[in-house]
């Protein structure tokens, strides 16, 4: 099956700093999503971005499908940004969503 | 939007009993729903794919007799953990996808199961 690798596994920032999270995948996909899992476990969909670039406030994401990677940018980080960020993809053939191992982000005041 | 509701949010049960978790798509019909399991500090692992009106498809290593899935309608899938044991304690999350060009997968809020 498809492999999804996220980096870095852990990231500690001071409030106000910017960061970039990366997601590499091993095969063609027609669905890629970035999620933020809050401390209560809920998965918040940040972006549905199988290709191209999207922005939502302080967050933006870019997926270069031909090179099989996606980037999530967080600018002016806040303590409420803390949590685990997951990248999940669906292969072009198939219906299952495969998750990466996640990036644990800690933003300190 | 595409909203998926999951209940209960948390449940504590005694070893040997069964627990049912419900997953509902509130504003769309879902012929397929997905059940994931997440252990602490780990990623989400797909357990099974729930198909409306037919048998679920289980991932390798998942016991179909322990994790019973029923998808009786286009908006409801249930996961029953039968004869639960402490090792079944985990976070269970369901998901569904609304058909359409810009819709991805939407997840329920999850159920934290503790078996004592």
């Amino acid at each position: 099956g498809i492999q999804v690798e996220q980096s870095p596994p852990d990231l500690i920032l001071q409030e106000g700093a910017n960061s970039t999270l990366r997601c590499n995948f091993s095969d063609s996909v027609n669905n890629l999503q970035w999620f933020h899992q809050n401390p209560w476990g809920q998965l918040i969909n940040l972006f549905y971005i199988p290709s191209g670039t999207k922005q939502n406030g302080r967050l933006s994401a870019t997926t270069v499908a031909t090179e099989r990677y996606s980037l999530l940018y967080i600018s002016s980080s806040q303590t409420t940004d803390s949590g685990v960020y997951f990248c999940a993809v669906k292969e072009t053939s198939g219906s299952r969503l495969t998750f990466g191992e996640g990036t644990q982000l800690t933003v300190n005041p | 939007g595409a909203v998926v509701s999951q209940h209960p949010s948390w449940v504590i049960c005694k070893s040997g009993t069964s627990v049912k978790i419900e997953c509902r798509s509130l504003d769309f019909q879902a012929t397929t729903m997905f059940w994931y399991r997440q252990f602490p500090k780990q990623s989400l692992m797909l357990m099974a794919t729930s198909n409306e009106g037919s048998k679920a498809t289980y991932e390798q290593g998942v016991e179909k007799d322990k994790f019973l899935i029923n998808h009786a309608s286009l908006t409801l899938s249930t996961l029953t953990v039968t004869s639960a044991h402490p090792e079944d304690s985990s976070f269970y999350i369901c998901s569904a996808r609304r058909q359409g060009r810009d819709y991805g997968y939407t997840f329920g809020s999850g159920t934290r199961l503790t078996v004592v």
Side-chain angles (χ1 to χ4, degrees), chain B residues 65-82:
Chain B
D65 293 332
K66 168 169 270 302
F67 299 100
L68 298 180
I69 291 173
N70 184 280
H71 194 154
S73 78
L74 287 171
T75 59
L76 174 64
S77 175
T78 60
L79 168 68
T80 301
V81 183
T82 64

Side-chain angles (χ1 to χ4, degrees), chain A residues 33 37 90 95-96 100, chain B residues 36 38 43 59 101-102 105:
Chain A
Q33 290 177 253
Q37 188 168 39
K90 185 181 82 65
S95 62
R96 58 188 298 170
Chain B
Y36 291 82
Q38 185 181 31
S43 186
E59 295 299 304
R101 215 184 72 162
D102 293 327
Y105 290 76

Side-chain angles (χ1 to χ4, degrees), chain B residues 5-45:
Chain B
S5 174
Q6 186 173 341
H7 293 281
S9 299
W10 59 270
V11 58
I12 301 173
C13 71
K14 290 185 177 180
S15 191
T17 61
S18 296
V19 173
K20 181 184 285 188
I21 303 170
E22 291 190 349
C23 179
R24 294 180 184 272
S25 56
L26 297 186
D27 53 355
F28 66 102
Q29 294 182 331
T31 55
T32 305
M33 291 185 175
F34 304 88
W35 288 96
Y36 291 82
R37 182 174 182 175
Q38 185 181 31
F39 289 107
K41 306 285 187 188
Q42 294 187 23
S43 186
L44 281 76
M45 296 299 296

Side-chain angles (χ1 to χ4, degrees), chain A:
Chain A
I2 193 168
Q3 304 299 311
V4 183
E5 293 183 357
Q6 289 187 243
S7 60
D10 297 279
L11 185 59
I12 300 175
L13 302 173
Q14 285 300 122
E15 203 166 23
N18 303 327
S19 61
T20 301
L21 282 57
R22 187 177 180 101
C23 172
N24 293 333
F25 42 96
S26 61
D27 210 338
S28 299
V29 301
N30 60 5
N31 189 114
L32 187 145
Q33 290 177 253
W34 283 97
F35 295 93
H36 175 213
Q37 188 168 39
N38 66 23
W40 297 271
Q42 183 155 12
L43 282 172
I44 309 298
N45 182 51
L46 299 176
F47 293 103
Y48 168 74
I49 187 165
S51 64
T53 297
K54 290 185 178 180
Q55 179 154 9
N56 184 2
R58 295 182 296 105
L59 304 180
S60 63
T62 295
T63 297
V64 184
T66 53
E67 297 187 20
R68 298 182 182 170
Y69 74 89
S70 182
L71 302 174
L72 176 69
Y73 305 97
I74 305 174
S75 64
S76 303
S77 58
Q78 300 175 358
T79 55
T80 51
D81 294 332
S82 296
V84 183
Y85 289 80
F86 286 106
C87 167
V89 304
K90 185 181 82 65
E91 295 176 77
T92 303
S93 59
S95 62
R96 58 188 298 170
L97 203 62
T98 300
F99 281 75
E101 291 300 309
T103 292
Q104 173 73 58
L105 174 65
T106 303
V107 181
N108 293 320

